[in-house]
Amino acid sequence: MANAYLQGVEISASQFLDIFNHYDNDGNGYIEGKELQSFIQELQQARKQAGLELTEQMKAFVEEYEQNADGKIGIVELVQILPTEENFLLSFRQQLKSCAEFMQAWRNYDADHSGYIEADELKNFLKDLLWKAGKQYEDKKLEEYTQTTLKIFDSNNDGKLCLAEMARLLPDQENFLLRFQGVKMAKKEFNKIFELYDQDGNGYMDENELDALLKDLCEKNKKVLDIGKISTYKNAIMALSDGGKLYRTELALVLCAEDN
């Protein structure tokens, strides 16, 4: 089935998902190693069988990864290779180019401040995204895009997206949240940390208090966090704040482990 989809001039959102899942055999969110080599071989074969030339993006991709045994790609990289219908995932990257913009969008569309974007909130997000990108769509297609996005990024299948799941739409180099996955803490520890750095005890952190926390986190986790990027981390996290007031629930989205 995946081979047939690869022969298409244009691939639908659901077909794109099927292709990704087919090659991501271990379900870790990446096509890597032997999975990636199989994908490259079958992509070339499928295009040849369909009488289609590789696109410039495909050629560049094959050249970069064909002999790279350690290579791996995620959803975002695959989006740039395959001619996906309307390319709604790529539209996301074009409209939200930084973590700060992503965090602000998250705050806007998590309407009930639950810490999750649920199906209706996600649909509104994608609707506005397509409108900003000047893309035409039908209600049926919008529903397909919504369900496909959920299927791609809802790693625990709870029907909603947490911040870290949604952030997979960002390219790795912009996605500081990937780094923070390695420093997340239990709820009890997080609460102690919050109270320690909320120095005036007013129930929220301002920019200076967050700056102090991030500096200490970077010092403690040098292998994971880059102290040279504190301003990037801070700007992105403060985008979740309420007029410069970063409350416990917002900071918890970044620093608190979800199973606590």
Side-chain angles (χ1 to χ4, degrees):
M1 186 69 74
N3 184 276
Y5 292 159
L6 289 175
Q7 295 181 31
V9 175
E10 189 174 73
I11 299 165
S12 73
S14 58
Q15 289 172 341
F16 173 87
L17 176 59
D18 287 343
I19 290 171
F20 187 84
N21 288 337
H22 175 78
Y23 290 101
D24 178 22
N25 293 320
D26 55 9
N28 70 346
Y30 291 97
I31 299 174
E32 57 188 336
K34 292 181 179 179
E35 298 170 341
L36 184 57
Q37 297 309 309
S38 294
F39 170 71
I40 290 172
Q41 292 173 8
E42 291 175 24
L43 173 65
Q44 292 173 308
Q45 291 170 1
R47 303 299 285 185
K48 185 176 181 180
Q49 289 170 1
L52 297 170
E53 295 286 336
L54 294 178
T55 65
E56 292 303 314
Q57 292 93 332
M58 290 176 182
K59 289 177 182 176
F61 166 75
V62 170
E63 183 176 338
E64 180 176 357
Y65 289 102
E66 191 171 23
Q67 303 301 324
N68 185 356
D70 297 324
K72 69 175 185 178
I73 62 170
I75 289 282
V76 171
E77 289 76 24
L78 190 63
V79 163
Q80 298 175 76
I81 301 162
L82 299 180
T84 307
E85 173 192 61
E86 296 292 353
N87 222 330
F88 71 107
L89 295 173
L90 192 56
S91 293
F92 180 99
R93 289 189 62 198
Q94 293 169 339
Q95 297 299 316
L96 301 176
K97 297 177 181 178
S98 72
C99 258
E101 289 178 346
F102 166 77
M103 298 290 251
Q104 185 60 56
W106 173 273
R107 178 172 173 77
N108 290 341
Y109 289 95
D110 179 18
D112 55 5
H113 299 288
S114 65
Y116 295 91
I117 288 185
E118 297 167 354
D120 288 345
E121 294 169 331
L122 178 60
K123 185 181 291 186
N124 288 333
F125 170 77
L126 293 174
K127 180 179 179 180
D128 290 349
L129 188 68
L130 291 167
W131 179 80
K132 288 177 183 177
K135 301 285 188 180
Q136 298 295 319
Y137 64 89
E138 298 175 353
D139 289 343
K140 184 178 179 180
K141 278 296 176 187
L142 181 60
E143 181 64 28
E144 180 189 346
Y145 296 160
T146 302
Q147 293 306 314
T148 300
T149 302
L150 277 173
K151 288 177 182 176
I152 291 173
F153 298 107
D154 182 14
S155 56
N156 61 357
N157 297 313
D158 61 359
K160 54 190 177 183
L161 300 179
C162 69
L163 185 67
E165 288 172 333
M166 191 75 170
R168 287 176 59 201
L169 279 161
L170 288 167
D172 284 0
Q173 64 269 25
E174 287 291 342
N175 193 353
F176 86 100
L177 289 165
L178 290 176
R179 292 179 175 268
F180 274 77
Q181 292 300 304
V183 301
K184 284 198 169 189
M185 57 194 77
K187 187 174 182 180
K188 186 176 181 180
E189 182 185 0
F190 168 77
N191 286 333
K192 286 182 178 179
I193 292 289
F194 187 89
E195 289 162 9
L196 176 65
Y197 287 91
D198 176 21
Q199 295 177 355
D200 51 13
N202 58 7
Y204 61 83
M205 286 192 196
D206 60 25
E207 191 169 324
N208 291 330
E209 291 168 333
L210 178 62
D211 189 70
L213 168 58
L214 291 174
K215 284 179 180 176
D216 287 348
L217 278 176
C218 287
E219 286 293 337
K220 185 179 178 182
N221 300 277
K222 290 181 179 179
K223 292 183 178 180
V224 180
L225 302 179
D226 182 353
I227 198 166
K229 292 187 176 181
I230 283 182
S231 61
T232 300
Y233 302 155
K234 182 171 63 178
N235 290 339
I237 295 172
M238 287 304 293
L240 292 171
S241 71
D242 183 5
K245 298 177 180 179
L246 184 67
Y247 289 96
R248 188 186 303 252
T249 51
E250 280 69 44
L251 184 57
L253 293 174
V254 179
L255 290 180
C256 193
E258 292 162 30
D259 57 350
N260 290 279

